């Protein structure tokens, strides 16, 4: 008997959690009735997941706070006074202003803010059509070197030679691991695919060790929790490296075959020794002579020396491994304890267990939001190199943990760059340069701010930077969203976007070796419009209409014309018509799980794993090292009185929210405590005279937040936390984002960041960026969102904070 129900596949609105789920959305009589986990095909049949956010997401299209109509500001920015207008009026007025600003100041005066993960699916039509418009108009993209998630990109670029290849791994690889170290991640609460395979691994006998700042759900599930002080992680991992080398527990064959370990390094300039043809030099320990090695080729002798020093043509040199041994020797177990707080015996046992495991995995997931994040991940990869735990089943290192199958590449270049890369007019600008220009350039070159995806006032701190410095210099601010966000409150026009339940999209990175068509489950609510409508209407008013003449499905059809073998090899061919009929189609993959180290081939200058990176010699960062946090107080700065403030502040992610998504759902808000609160360790609370439920001001020189404080032993001493995600209106006074160092700002730039940008440009041969398809969109800033220092004080009853 028919139930009258139907279904489509939909990108989960909580997409930005790096879980990237597809939902099975059930409808009846034109309404969404529920969402369920998706059922894939073939080997991935049971790899569909759904969390409480995905289950509750079907309520969101009908939320009373949903933006349903175009709005025009009727009062001062931030005053909250709006006039409902038609789409025609909105498009006419916006396009007229953009044309006027282009004529007066040039096309680059339009700044287009596009954090692509903010609109599910990331790299969907909202992103590719915006890139198309940006490149045709000549607008400025200000989020290169965004300063968020950058550490894994830094480590992967210099050590393995490629950014994006190392973003994903198939968590099914964990199933056969003997030891898994979860380092700075919390998959039990945030990533169901990872958590499922952690459970599988543990069922199969693996030991799970969690290393991190908080005693969270993953720590509770693990066999052992090792707490570390904020930003101290590479001190521990480098001490592990030192112990492995001291005890000669490294895998010599792996180091010789796949890393630069035997390559000789000059003592006079720290560069690799080379012959007259530019070939690398190793030492043949049997023939007792130097041997040349072309980049990317095997060493042409049977007995290359791993650890030694020589003089060749009057130049003293050592193997890169000898350099590593000397460099790592300062990271004693006692030294790391003084930095991390991890007792010597605990760190020694951790190292010995890691070495002894037949297959060991280190799992990171963007959880280290410090200036030294890149150093942390380089040291994790180094541990994998030393022990040979790379490129084989059950073993590995992952940093930015996107739990998917094989990468899938669509035919996007003809869309984003219709006239070719050489004619792409968009200006790729590092965020630090953008912020510096907004602070200091007179006249300011940027006059219009178009928010495609993201909520910078909320999610790209510091809040005051946007409200007090950037926005007052903008003559036009347009925000496209489904909610009235903290950014939208300061816009001149707010345009209602379609939710994933209301539009067509092409899904890949979520779909475990499947291409999935995300289809509308319901008609758009109110007057919400999809990206195809918005950019087509804008383009035809500014003289670019001929470039935006297709429907969403027609754009998707172009994207499917991919020459990427795993897509092009599908038989029968993957056409739009086939995908509409079948809804999902499995790509052509080898009969193994995706592992970015598969085949052990690398795009570095040497063609090998470069734990010693010649490209980092100019900034004295050729090997992973511990770098003190930018601001977070350390035992040393607290002891010598140089700490900016006594407490480390961070904004932990609430499991019921996704960024600021779901804060508007009353059920999810209730499960989160109905209001934002802070957390502090009871020992610190006693010292400060704070009781559970007291009103407390958390402050530093950038801003403050006044909040109800809760005592929680899961919070380490010396640390203060406020849940991330709550909008500004949920706070009585101030907001947590006022406290944080501006992401990607000049304050977060050093010589390493500048060198990184140069190296990426040298590889590409052009200014890289998201819109131009370059691998350098993240290069040139450091993660500092959890790196700031603060102070606290109890607020007395009736006192104005």
């Amino acid at each position: 008997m028919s139930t009258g129900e139907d279904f489509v596949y939909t990108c989960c609105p909580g997409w930005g959690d790096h879980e990237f789920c597809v939902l099975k959305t059930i409808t009846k009589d034109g309404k969404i009735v529920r969402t369920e986990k998706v059922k894939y095909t073939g080997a991935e049949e049971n790899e569909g997941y759904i969390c409480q956010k995905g289950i509750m997401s079907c309520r969101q299209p009908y939320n009373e706070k949903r933006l349903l109509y175009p709005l025009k500001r009727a009062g001062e920015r931030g005053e909250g006074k709006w006039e409902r207008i038609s789409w025609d009026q909105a498009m006419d007025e916006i396009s007229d202003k953009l044309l006027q600003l282009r004529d007066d100041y040039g096309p680059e005066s339009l700044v287009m803010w596009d954090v692509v993960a903010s609109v599910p699916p990331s790299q969907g039509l909202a992103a590719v059509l915006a890139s198309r418009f940006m490149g045709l108009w000549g607008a400025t993209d200000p989020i290169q070197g965004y300063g968020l998630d950058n550490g894994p990109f830094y480590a992967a670029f210099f050590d393995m030679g490629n950014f994006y290849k190392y973003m994903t791994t198939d968590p099914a690889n964990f199933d056969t691991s003997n030891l898994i170290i979860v380092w700075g991640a919390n998959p039990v609460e945030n990533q169901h695919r990872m958590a499922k395979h952690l459970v599988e691994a543990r069922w199969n006998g693996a030991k799970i060790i969690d290393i991190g700042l908080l005693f969270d759900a993953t720590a509770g599930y693990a066999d052992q929790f090792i707490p570390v002080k904020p930003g101290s992680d590479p001190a521990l991992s480098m001490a592990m490296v030192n112990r492995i080398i001291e005890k000669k527990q490294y895998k010599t064959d792996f180091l010789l075959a796949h890393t630069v370990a035997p390559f000789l390094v000059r003592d006079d300039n720290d560069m690799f020794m080379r012959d007259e043809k530019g070939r690398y030099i190793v030492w043949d320990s049997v023939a007792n002579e130097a041997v040349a090695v072309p980049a990317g080729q095997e060493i042409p002798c049977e007995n290359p020396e791993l650890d030694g020093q020589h003089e060749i043509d009057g130049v003293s040199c050592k193997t890169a491994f000898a350099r590593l041994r000397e460099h790592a020797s300062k990271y004693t177990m006692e030294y790391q304890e003084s930095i991390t707080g991890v007792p010597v015996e605990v760190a020694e046992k951790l190292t010995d267990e890691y070495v002894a495991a037949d297959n060991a995995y280190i799992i990171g997931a963007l959880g280290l939001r410090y200036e030294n994040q890149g150093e942390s991940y380089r040291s994790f990869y180094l541990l994998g190199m030393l022990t040979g735990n790379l490129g084989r089943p059950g073993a590995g290192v992952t940093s930015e943990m996107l739990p998917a199958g094989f990468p899938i590449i669509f035919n996007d270049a003809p869309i984003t760059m219709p006239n070719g890369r050489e004619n792409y007019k968009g200006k790729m600008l590092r965020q630090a340069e953008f912020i510096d220009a907004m602070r200091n350039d007179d006249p300011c070159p940027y006059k219009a701010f178009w928010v495609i995806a993201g909520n910078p006032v909320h999610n790209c701190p510091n809040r005051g930077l946007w409200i007090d410095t950037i926005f007052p210099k903008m003559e036009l601010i347009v925000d496209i969203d489904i909610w009235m966000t903290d950014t939208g409150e300061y816009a001149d026009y707010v345009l209602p976007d379609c939710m994933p339940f209301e539009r067509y999209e092409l899904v890949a990175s979520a779909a475990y070796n499947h291409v999935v068509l995300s289809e509308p489950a319901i008609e758009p609510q109110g007057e919400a419009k999809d990206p195809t409508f918005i950019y087509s209407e804008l383009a035809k008013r500014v003289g670019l209409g001929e470039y935006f003449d297709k429907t969403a499905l027609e754009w998707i059809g172009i994207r499917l014309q991919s020459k990427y073998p795993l897509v092009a090899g599908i038989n029968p061919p993957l056409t739009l018509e086939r995908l509409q009929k079948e809804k999902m189609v499995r790509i052509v993959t080898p009969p193994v799980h995706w592992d970015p180290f598969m085949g052990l081939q690398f795009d570095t200058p040497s063609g090998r794993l470069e734990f010693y990176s010649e490209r980092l010699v100019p900034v004295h960062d050729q090997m992973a090292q511990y770098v003190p946090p930018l601001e977070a107080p350390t035992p040393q700065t607290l002891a010598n009185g140089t700490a900016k403030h006594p407490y480390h502040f961070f904004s932990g992610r609430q499991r019921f929210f996704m960024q600021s998504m779901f804060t508007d759902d009353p059920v999810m808000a209730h499960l989160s405590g109905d209001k934002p609160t802070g957390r502090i360790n009871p020992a610190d609370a006693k010292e400060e005279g704070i009781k559970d439920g007291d009103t407390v001001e958390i402050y530093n020189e950038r801003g403050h937040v006044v909040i109800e404080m809760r005592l929680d032993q899961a919070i380490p001493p010396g640390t203060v936390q406020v849940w991330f995600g709550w909008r500004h209106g949920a706070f009585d006074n101030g907001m947590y984002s006022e406290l944080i160092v501006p992401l990607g700002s000049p304050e977060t730039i050093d010589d390493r960041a500048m060198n990184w940008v140069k190296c990426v440009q040298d590889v590409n041969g052009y200014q890289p960026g998201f819109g131009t398809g370059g691998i350098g969109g993240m290069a040139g800033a450091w993660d500092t969102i959890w790196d700031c220092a603060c102070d606290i004080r109890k607020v007395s009853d009736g006192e104005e904070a």
Side-chain angles (χ1 to χ4, degrees), residues 211-411:
I211 302 175
L213 185 63
L214 296 177
F215 190 86
D216 51 30
T218 302
Y221 177 76
D223 297 286
Q224 182 182 7
F225 172 57
I226 301 177
V228 293
K229 294 186 182 299
S232 67
D233 305 83
L236 172 57
S237 46
M238 286 304 296
M240 295 172 67
V241 167
N242 184 34
R243 182 173 176 84
I244 291 170
I245 294 174
E246 279 188 333
K247 297 185 70 175
K248 293 183 168 52
Q249 295 173 320
Y250 44 82
K251 302 291 187 184
T252 300
D253 290 348
F254 186 92
L255 290 168
L256 292 174
H258 301 296
T259 79
V260 294
F263 287 7
L264 291 170
V265 181
R266 301 171 62 111
D267 287 344
D268 57 355
N269 63 9
D270 299 326
M271 305 294 280
F272 287 120
M273 286 286 293
R274 287 182 169 83
D275 68 2
E276 68 281 357
K277 295 182 179 180
R279 296 176 296 184
Y280 298 93
I281 304 296
V282 301
W283 192 262
D284 187 331
S285 60
V286 173
N288 202 33
E289 63 182 12
V291 176
V293 184
Q297 296 187 21
E298 294 183 3
I299 297 174
C301 67
E302 292 186 3
N303 299 283
E305 184 180 65
L306 179 66
D307 190 350
Q309 59 184 49
H310 303 277
E311 185 172 306
I312 300 176
D313 297 332
V315 178
S316 297
C317 55
K318 299 183 181 73
T319 64
F321 182 84
R323 284 292 195 102
L324 174 63
R325 174 174 49 76
E326 294 174 352
H327 170 70
S329 64
K330 65 186 177 185
Y331 292 97
T332 65
M333 287 294 169
E334 291 74 19
Y335 171 78
Q336 73 80 27
E337 182 175 4
S338 72
I339 301 293
T340 69
V342 177
V344 168
E345 60 273 16
V346 173
E348 289 179 342
K349 182 180 179 183
L350 169 69
T351 309
D352 295 344
E353 288 184 334
Y354 178 68
V355 171
D358 292 331
N359 296 306
Y361 226 109
I362 297 177
I363 300 172
L366 307 178
L368 309 175
R369 303 292 200 194
Y370 304 96
E371 185 180 21
N372 61 16
Q373 186 196 45
E375 305 297 334
S376 298
Y377 290 120
R378 289 193 73 203
S379 64
F380 298 168
Y381 286 125
L382 175 54
L383 286 169
M385 297 178 211
L386 287 171
T387 58
N389 277 303
L390 297 174
R392 52 189 176 82
V397 177
T398 182
S399 50
E400 179 162 355
M401 182 56 206
L402 302 183
F406 280 76
I408 301 179
I409 300 173
F410 291 130
N411 182 41

Side-chain angles (χ1 to χ4, degrees), residues 707-783:
I707 201 163
E708 179 182 306
M709 190 66 76
R710 310 312 303 251
L711 277 54
D712 191 337
Q713 292 188 8
I715 304 297
T719 303
V720 179
Q721 185 249 353
V722 176
W723 285 124
F724 181 87
W726 293 99
R727 302 192 196 281
H728 181 258
F731 295 86
D732 293 331
N733 199 326
M735 189 182 181
Y736 66 86
S737 64
E738 294 182 10
L739 296 153
I740 300 172
V741 180
L743 298 181
S745 66
E747 295 94 318
T748 70
I749 305 302
D750 60 11
D751 290 342
R752 292 178 302 154
M754 296 301 293
N755 179 72
W756 184 13
V757 173
K758 178 183 181 301
C759 290
V760 170
Q761 290 176 343
D762 289 345
V763 169
N764 280 342
Y766 61 90
Q767 173 68 39
F770 294 110
T772 57
I775 64 172
M778 303 298 282
W782 302 118
D783 293 51

